[in-house]
Amino acid sequence: MAATPATRPKRSKKTLGDDFTAALRADFRAHGAGVIAAVRAEKPEQYLKVVLTLLPKDFSQNLDADKNNLDRMSDEEIRNRIRGLEARLRPFLDDADLSGAARGTGSPPSP
């Protein structure tokens, strides 16, 4: 009589995704604000692109399309654009739990 092979319990596909999401959430809580602040300081064009992708479509349609061509903008113009977007978004944000780096008032935490 052949021995029955030991069966491995099935692991759902969702579990792997849940594990990844939980790990990503924990990593973002620990390092996210500092990374965002570093990107804003070191790569303002990437920061602005992320901000624009997160805005509702009707919000970003009100922006002048010519002013969104980042390739033709200087770093200072991009920084000014970011400041303007932050000012427009401020009423929608509750930054009470953000560090100074995330609010732009401090340096990012060390890794």
Side-chain angles (χ1 to χ4, degrees), residues 40-60:
R40 185 185 68 241
E42 297 168 16
K43 297 180 180 180
E45 70 285 354
Q46 291 298 320
Y47 179 85
L48 182 57
K49 284 179 183 180
V50 171
V51 169
L52 290 174
T53 63
L54 295 174
L55 294 175
K57 287 200 182 290
D58 60 335
F59 187 91
S60 61

Side-chain angles (χ1 to χ4, degrees), residues 11 16 19 24 39 50 53 63-64 79 105:
R11 182 175 171 141
L16 181 59
D19 291 349
L24 185 60
V39 170
V50 171
T53 63
L63 302 174
D64 186 349
R79 285 185 189 93
T105 59

Side-chain angles (χ1 to χ4, degrees), residues 1-6:
M1 203 188 237
T4 306

Side-chain angles (χ1 to χ4, degrees), residues 36-54 67-83 85:
I36 290 169
V39 170
R40 185 185 68 241
E42 297 168 16
K43 297 180 180 180
E45 70 285 354
Q46 291 298 320
Y47 179 85
L48 182 57
K49 284 179 183 180
V50 171
V51 169
L52 290 174
T53 63
L54 295 174
K67 292 182 181 178
N68 289 329
N69 189 341
L70 299 176
D71 294 335
R72 294 186 297 199
M73 295 174 74
S74 70
D75 286 350
E76 189 56 33
E77 290 172 320
I78 292 171
R79 285 185 189 93
N80 288 336
R81 189 80 166 144
I82 290 169
R83 288 183 194 112
L85 287 169

